Amino acid sequence: MKAITVQPKKPGSAAYEDVPEPDPGDGSLLVEAVATGVCGTDTEIVEGKYGWAPPGRDRLVLGHESLGRVVDPGPARAFKEGDLVVGIVRRPDPVPCPNCAVGEWDMCRNGEYTERGIKQIAGFMSDRWRVEPEYAIRLDPALGIRGVLLEPATVVAKAWEQVSIVGQRAFWEPQRVLVTGAGPIGLLAALLGRQRGLSVHVLDVVTAGPKPGLVEDLGATYHCGKIADVGFEPDVIVECTGVGQVIVDSFKHVAAGGVVCLTGIGSGGRTTGLPVADVGSKMVLQNNVVVGSVNANKRHWYKAAQDLLRADRAWLSRLISRREKPWNFEEALRRSPQDDVKVVIEFAEA
Ligand code: BGC
């Protein structure tokens, strides 16, 4: 079969190549790939900045945002041939740390977790893949190709759960949310904010392309420019850019008692005018919380699947802005900040 593979930490090493059939050790459920989403992490891996091959191997099958159709359910009674499924990304560390021991692998404390298509386990960008039945999520067939949005939706389902848990430390009735970045994570965070009945504002740098319309059609407000210019102090900021200046601005402008949830993974970058102690004092005097949030456990996968099912199907379809064939994976990795939202690699008809 064919797969998109990469030699982690070696820029430009990605290739669409012949690989052996999926390893039975990856799980008893055999799945035919339908689509995989492309995200910033995939780009980082291809650029040689992130990623780990399985032990004893040089190359890693890329892809952690999956959607596939069960070809052979094996002994698993809960699945049947033809079911649409998505594979969970992370596996608990083998020690295990206390969080992994209770199924909260997203909160792994020793860093020895593994991740499909990212860290030491084959990903989903192959014609066929295998998964353990307990790490497969069956989707309502009505979602079709939109099911490929489940993985990014789990990331924001966790982020929202973190925000509301933090909010419970005091009396708290949040009204206005600012989401920074109108990529797939930002738009899905905005969707979940609207599903919670909040007034949602989304900030990005582009003025054209599909993003402003997608925000407006959620019943949210699109802003272009700086956080300082949105005209209010948000109760919640879900930061989805990973850009240093935006992160600092979110600390500065979050409302008293407000929560900033960081989901973006960036690096370096210059920030201007960062008086650290002043920002710290503001956050102390206003009881602010900054919470980082990564990955998702099974609870979030379950919740995110429910959230996607409740969303407007036509709106979800518009998040998939481009479909590329696996042999054109390089095109899929080149994403336009204005015209692309979620680019998917399509292996088979949904
Ligand atoms: C994935 C997460 C993963 C994180 C760090 C993100 O792109 O969505 O599942 O935990 O990268 O590797």
Side-chain angles (χ1 to χ4, degrees):
M1 66 167 186
K2 292 272 193 191
I4 300 163
T5 69
V6 62
Q7 185 173 334
K9 311 281 162 52
K10 192 172 176 210
S13 62
Y16 179 58
E17 60 168 356
D18 288 313
V19 296
E21 285 293 318
D23 184 349
D26 286 348
S28 59
L29 216 57
L30 179 64
V31 179
E32 162 200 43
V34 170
T36 54
V38 175
C39 93
T41 301
D42 299 312
T43 313
E44 288 216 327
I45 297 173
V46 168
E47 287 174 351
K49 298 177 185 157
Y50 197 64
W52 297 261
R57 305 253 181 91
D58 288 339
R59 299 186 74 83
L60 170 76
V61 175
L62 201 60
H64 60 279
E65 299 185 4
S66 62
L67 176 68
R69 196 179 291 109
V70 174
V71 181
D72 179 1
R77 292 251 191 100
F79 295 91
K80 58 179 189 330
E81 195 184 330
D83 280 350
L84 265 192
V85 290
V86 175
I88 291 179
V89 177
R90 194 175 278 198
R91 298 294 175 276
D93 78 72
V95 177
C97 77
N99 289 73
C100 284
V102 299
E104 292 188 350
W105 51 72
D106 58 315
M107 302 294 285
C108 179
R109 292 206 225 156
N110 61 18
E112 290 187 38
Y113 63 83
T114 51
E115 286 180 340
R116 296 209 56 167
I118 301 175
K119 191 168 183 271
Q120 300 171 330
I121 348 178
F124 303 106
M125 289 186 185
S126 52
D127 292 332
R128 283 170 292 287
W129 39 269
R130 284 184 173 271
V131 65
E132 314 87 321
E134 61 276 27
Y135 288 97
I137 304 290
R138 191 183 36 236
L139 288 182
D140 189 313
L143 277 175
I145 183 82
R146 294 165 283 237
V148 76
L149 300 168
L150 181 59
E151 197 279 341
T154 66
V155 167
V156 294
K158 174 179 173 182
W160 270 109
E161 190 189 79
Q162 295 290 305
V163 168
S164 50
I165 291 168
V166 170
Q168 297 315 308
R169 75 204 156 124
F171 176 78
W172 198 51
E173 286 182 337
Q175 315 267 316
R176 286 185 295 198
V177 180
L178 177 67
V179 176
T180 52
I185 293 287
L187 289 166
L188 289 166
L191 168 72
L192 268 53
R194 290 295 298 135
Q195 288 182 342
R196 284 163 174 72
L198 297 165
S199 159
V200 176
H201 297 253
V202 181
L203 180 81
D204 200 292
V205 290
V206 302
T207 51
K211 292 176 178 176
L214 280 162
V215 170
E216 301 294 333
D217 292 345
L218 269 184
T221 309
Y222 188 82
H223 300 260
C224 191
K226 296 198 166 95
I227 298 184
D229 302 327
V230 298
F232 65 95
E233 293 194 327
D235 301 310
V236 176
I237 299 183
V238 185
E239 205 300 297
C240 307
T241 70
V243 173
Q245 188 65 54
V246 182
I247 295 169
V248 172
D249 287 349
S250 64
F251 297 166
K252 280 191 193 162
H253 296 287
V254 67
V259 180
V260 177
C261 182
L262 302 178
T263 68
I265 307 175
S267 61
R270 283 214 182 90
T271 55
T272 52
L274 176 59
V276 179
D278 292 352
V279 174
S281 301
K282 181 253 168 192
M283 300 195 75
V284 170
L285 294 170
Q286 299 199 347
N287 289 297
N288 292 130
V289 177
V290 177
V291 55
S293 180
V294 70
N295 199 256
N297 65 41
K298 211 160 182 179
R299 182 172 69 248
H300 309 120
W301 283 82
Y302 175 80
K303 281 181 167 176
Q306 306 280 311
D307 295 341
L308 282 190
L309 255 190
R310 280 195 289 141
D312 179 78
R313 303 267 153 82
W315 186 86
L316 284 180
S317 297
R318 287 162 60 204
L319 290 188
I320 301 174
S321 53
R322 186 153 57 91
R323 301 180 191 196
E324 295 286 355
K325 293 293 174 201
W327 51 89
N328 275 338
F329 74 91
E330 279 172 337
E331 280 304 305
L333 287 162
R334 264 191 285 277
R335 290 167 305 144
S336 146
Q338 177 176 288
D339 299 319
D340 283 321
V341 183
K342 175 56 74 189
V343 178
V344 305
I345 299 180
E346 200 175 31
F347 287 81
E349 287 279 306

